Amino acid sequence: MSKIRLTSTAPGIMGLLESFPAIGTKMTALAQELLSTPHHGVFLPSWVLEYIAASCSEQGKTEFCRDSHYAIALAKSPHVSIADMHQHMLLNERYRLLELLAHKAYCFPGTITEAEITALQDDKAIHGSSTNEEIHLVIAIACAFRMFNAYVKNIGNPVCPTPEAYRQIGEAIASNGYQGV
């Protein structure tokens, strides 16, 4: 239940963004830019970026954001289940290290070390090195999701009633982007 009166009955952050369009438009544009817009020097599939956003939301215990971004990641990915995506992320050293970097940026701002960045840029890594642009984008996603998650948790808005509702959100955003929802 929301702690303030909203004009929208949409769940999670969607109800907040619809109820306050002046801020909602800008926050939606930020999500679009971070998660769905191609970036020079970034060679990560968009589903990996969505997965990292979901994983950060899981760190923040924000159910709506976690489940909707896992659903978006799944809709954008070649995987058949969230468990399959989890397995892929665990087995890909580069993706796993980027996810861990995002967790650190999300949970412990200001504590990322030069050694951690250097490890991500190591050309000898099994799954390849990460570019400066990729590292920057992953940290920006983590920091933005810290804000998005705090926004949802502090105002409080109901989550989706069923897993099917998350699947529908995932497919809509994967197909139309954030501004098309």
Side-chain angles (χ1 to χ4, degrees):
M1 175 109 184
S2 179
K3 297 172 189 167
I4 61 174
R5 282 189 302 275
L6 302 177
T7 58
S8 172
T9 59
I13 199 169
M14 293 171 19
L16 302 173
L17 300 178
E18 289 174 8
S19 294
F20 301 97
I23 291 173
T25 301
K26 292 167 183 68
M27 290 179 81
T28 301
L30 178 59
Q32 178 72 29
E33 182 65 31
L34 292 172
L35 300 171
S36 294
T37 301
H39 296 270
H40 175 74
V42 175
F43 305 101
L44 299 167
S46 63
W47 74 264
V48 171
L49 301 176
E50 291 286 355
Y51 184 97
I52 288 171
S55 184
C56 285
S57 297
E58 188 166 359
Q59 294 295 306
K61 298 176 177 41
T62 311
E63 182 180 346
F64 177 84
C65 298
R66 177 198 65 206
D67 292 350
S68 59
H69 287 283
Y70 277 141
I72 298 163
L74 185 60
K76 288 181 172 185
S77 82
H79 302 290
V80 296
S81 70
I82 292 173
D84 188 33
M85 280 192 310
H86 288 316
Q87 186 66 24
H88 186 97
M89 291 294 287
L90 287 172
L91 295 176
N92 185 306
E93 179 187 33
R94 180 170 166 238
Y95 294 171
R96 185 177 47 80
L97 290 174
L98 286 167
E99 182 184 13
L100 292 173
L101 182 77
H103 289 177
K104 191 164 186 183
Y106 184 95
C107 296
F108 308 105
T111 63
I112 293 171
T113 66
E114 195 171 319
E116 290 167 315
I117 300 298
T118 301
L120 284 163
Q121 296 172 325
D122 181 1
D123 290 333
K124 295 179 183 99
I126 295 169
H127 291 98
S129 63
S130 296
T131 65
N132 281 330
E133 292 84 356
E134 290 169 337
I135 293 166
H136 170 265
L137 182 58
V138 165
I139 292 171
I141 289 167
C143 295
F145 273 79
R146 187 172 172 90
M147 176 190 66
F148 291 146
N149 294 168
Y151 181 51
V152 171
K153 288 180 81 167
N154 282 296
I155 294 178
N157 206 26
V159 297
C160 289
T162 65
E164 175 63 18
Y166 287 109
R167 188 192 62 72
Q168 289 172 358
I169 290 169
E171 288 179 1
I173 292 175
S175 297
N176 305 315
Y178 284 86
Q179 296 170 340
V181 176

